[in-house]
Amino acid sequence: QQQVKQSPQSLIVQKGGISIINCAYENTAFDYFPWYQQFPGKGPALLIAIRPDVSEKKEGRFTISFNKSAKQFSLHIMDSQPGDSATYFCAASIKGSARQLTFGSGTQLTVLP
Amino acid sequence: DAGITQSPRHKVTETGTPVTLRCHQTENHRYMYWYRQDPGHGLRLIHYSYGVKDTDKGEVSDGYSVSRSKTEDFLLTLESATSSQTSVYFCAISLGQGQETQYFGPGTRLLVL
């Protein structure tokens, strides 16, 4: 049973545009929500993460928006660049569960030059 | 890669044979994890370890066993490989105050014929 649903499956954006990837979760016990970026042939790399006590977190061109009541969170990539072309995964974990990560199914982002 | 190495990086094997994948870390982290990555499923947890000889099952543990006899090594064994176990396998360690941040190794690509 997938507890974190991610959309869209693929996304094509023009250079300079905004990329938006959405995730929804079911388990209200989740208390940590990271996003990972993965390039072909590489392991996932932590991009940015948020806890549910804040509604937004920004690091450079990357922003997480968090809506606790709707049980949704999203990744916004501002001024998207061709180098951002990668697969992005949202995830969630619960404190005290050895921090097992439950991942979304991934979004393949292509930024056209 | 937070000092994580995986071996082998690529392996081709035949159905019914046992296979062992190795994850090695150099920084004495307590928590280690094995995930598999398949298209459309994101990453799914197979097993994890919270110390030497302390392991537990994840979401997709059937057909897999693990061992951790030293802090630095976490082994994943496919007892009798099947074609459904063709996948990319990632090892991860956790960092952070609450062990919530996971860093991934480079992965092992396994093909079971």
Side-chain angles (χ1 to χ4, degrees):
Chain A
Q1 179 182 4
Q2 185 179 15
Q3 296 187 56
V4 179
K5 294 185 178 181
Q6 184 173 345
S7 62
Q9 185 176 4
S10 62
L11 180 63
I12 299 175
V13 175
Q14 293 287 340
K15 178 182 177 181
I18 301 173
S19 303
I20 301 174
I21 304 171
N22 300 299
C23 284
Y25 63 97
E26 300 170 3
N27 191 341
T28 55
F30 287 139
D31 70 341
Y32 177 72
F33 301 87
W35 283 89
Y36 283 84
Q37 179 188 56
Q38 185 180 30
F39 293 105
K42 304 292 186 182
L46 180 67
L47 189 62
I48 186 173
I50 197 168
R51 291 181 176 82
D53 54 343
V54 298
S55 60
E56 185 175 281
K57 183 175 182 180
K58 183 177 181 179
E59 291 184 1
R61 296 185 293 110
F62 301 91
T63 300
I64 300 178
S65 297
F66 189 85
N67 186 330
K68 188 174 181 178
S69 62
K71 293 187 288 186
Q72 295 176 348
F73 58 110
S74 60
L75 176 69
H76 296 237
I77 306 174
M78 311 300 288
D79 188 25
S80 299
Q81 299 296 312
D84 297 330
S85 296
T87 301
Y88 293 81
F89 294 95
C90 61
S93 70
I94 302 171
K95 182 179 180 180
S97 65
R99 285 295 179 185
Q100 300 175 52
L101 282 172
T102 299
F103 281 86
S105 56
T107 296
Q108 186 168 357
L109 172 65
T110 302
V111 181
L112 300 176
Chain B
D1 291 335
I4 305 170
T5 58
Q6 293 184 232
S7 60
R9 294 293 315 278
H10 302 271
K11 186 170 182 66
V12 180
T13 191
E14 294 186 351
T15 297
T17 60
V19 176
T20 296
L21 309 182
R22 180 183 184 234
C23 178
H24 179 77
Q25 54 133 332
T26 60
E27 299 179 13
N28 208 34
H29 299 296
R30 178 183 175 192
Y31 286 89
M32 299 183 75
Y33 308 81
W34 276 108
Y35 292 85
R36 61 177 288 174
Q37 183 175 26
D38 305 288
H41 291 277
L43 288 90
R44 292 177 291 175
L45 182 66
I46 304 171
H47 281 279
Y48 65 95
S49 170
Y50 47 95
V52 173
K53 298 186 179 179
D54 292 323
T55 65
D56 206 346
K57 297 179 179 179
E59 178 187 359
V60 290
S61 61
D62 287 348
Y64 301 95
S65 62
V66 291
S67 66
R68 192 169 179 197
S69 59
K70 299 184 292 184
T71 299
E72 59 266 34
D73 288 326
F74 191 30
L75 304 181
L76 176 70
T77 297
L78 288 64
E79 295 145 7
S80 177
T82 67
S83 58
S84 65
Q85 293 176 311
T86 291
S87 187
V88 182
Y89 293 86
F90 288 100
C91 174
I93 55 91
S94 62
L95 298 174
Q97 185 177 2
Q99 302 290 321
E100 68 272 3
T101 303
Q102 291 189 22
Y103 291 89
F104 287 79
T108 294
R109 187 172 296 273
L110 176 67
L111 174 62
V112 183
L113 299 175

